Amino acid sequence: RHARAGPVRAVVVRAAEGARAFCAGGDVKAIATAADPIVAGVGFFRAEYALDYLISVMEARHETMVIPLADGAAIGGGAGLMIHAAPLRVVTERAAFAFPECEIGLIPDVGFAHAMRRMTGAGAGARPQHPGLDRFLALTGARLDAAEMVRYGIATHLVPSHAVAKLEELLAATSPTAAAIRDALDDFAVAVGPPTEGGGSGWA
């Protein structure tokens, strides 16, 4: 349908209306209690990883920006929907970010290590801006708040939740270029200050 309508330059991904989380991850219980958990798990993770990969290449290959707008928690697989989007990732003050896979004996998946090192400046040839953050999140399952997500490069803009509806209206009417959309986000975004002692995830 979208192909017939012409090129799609930007897609905003957000939670369903009324949902408390952006995405709280996969339904592990449904997989574990399926008639054949192996078949259910393979099918689920194949689809999940394919979607994460598609998000990561949409701009480079199809000139389509995927812009996550997290007005709630992005946890596990939900965090995977955020970390591969580029160049813009938006959160509200209600957002949170975590990979609690360690609590169920699973490693952080969905390309966590690759994406975290890219976003936080720890990739090959880059000087780490937040050395150890990826290991801290992977080993502890600690939860970052919205300000930390922006401070550490996981999100690019923090927008008040009460402004989300107006922001979406503006984005729908904005020229679908990275510069124009970034300008629109800049108009709504609030500044993020330095970390406070004892606040947030405890990592600094």
Side-chain angles (χ1 to χ4, degrees), residues 11-14 22 66-70 81-83 85-86 88-91:
V11 176
V12 175
V13 180
R14 60 166 300 177
F22 170 71
V66 177
I67 306 170
L69 200 171
L81 297 176
M82 282 207 67
I83 59 179
L88 304 170
R89 298 175 295 277
V90 186
V91 295

Side-chain angles (χ1 to χ4, degrees), residues 106-135:
L106 182 67
I107 60 169
D109 55 352
V110 297
F112 166 83
H114 167 75
M116 284 294 295
R117 293 178 67 81
R118 171 177 55 80
M119 287 189 301
T120 58
R127 181 179 179 182
Q129 298 178 38
H130 308 293
L133 175 60
D134 50 353
R135 290 188 294 275

Side-chain angles (χ1 to χ4, degrees), residues 30-43:
I31 296 173
T33 57
D36 190 331
I38 299 299
V39 171
V42 169

Side-chain angles (χ1 to χ4, degrees), residues 47-185:
E48 180 186 23
Y49 297 160
L51 176 59
D52 292 330
Y53 175 75
L54 180 62
I55 290 173
S56 74
V57 300
M58 283 295 287
E59 186 185 28
R61 294 191 179 180
H62 306 287
E63 298 183 346
T64 299
M65 287 179 291
V66 177
I67 306 170
L69 200 171
D71 185 21
I75 297 175
L81 297 176
M82 282 207 67
I83 59 179
H84 295 292
L88 304 170
R89 298 175 295 277
V90 186
V91 295
T92 75
E93 76 282 356
R94 296 192 289 220
F97 179 93
F99 273 93
E101 277 77 359
C102 61
E103 298 177 7
I104 59 172
L106 182 67
I107 60 169
D109 55 352
V110 297
F112 166 83
H114 167 75
M116 284 294 295
R117 293 178 67 81
R118 171 177 55 80
M119 287 189 301
T120 58
R127 181 179 179 182
Q129 298 178 38
H130 308 293
L133 175 60
D134 50 353
R135 290 188 294 275
F136 171 76
L137 294 176
L139 294 173
T140 66
R143 180 176 295 208
L144 301 181
D145 61 29
E148 289 176 306
M149 292 172 72
V150 175
R151 190 177 297 126
Y152 303 139
I154 294 166
T156 59
H157 293 78
L158 173 57
V159 173
S161 57
H162 64 77
V164 166
K166 290 184 178 179
L167 172 61
E168 290 181 324
E169 291 177 6
L170 180 60
L171 290 177
T174 297
S175 173
T177 65
I181 291 176
R182 187 182 293 275
D183 286 344
L185 289 173

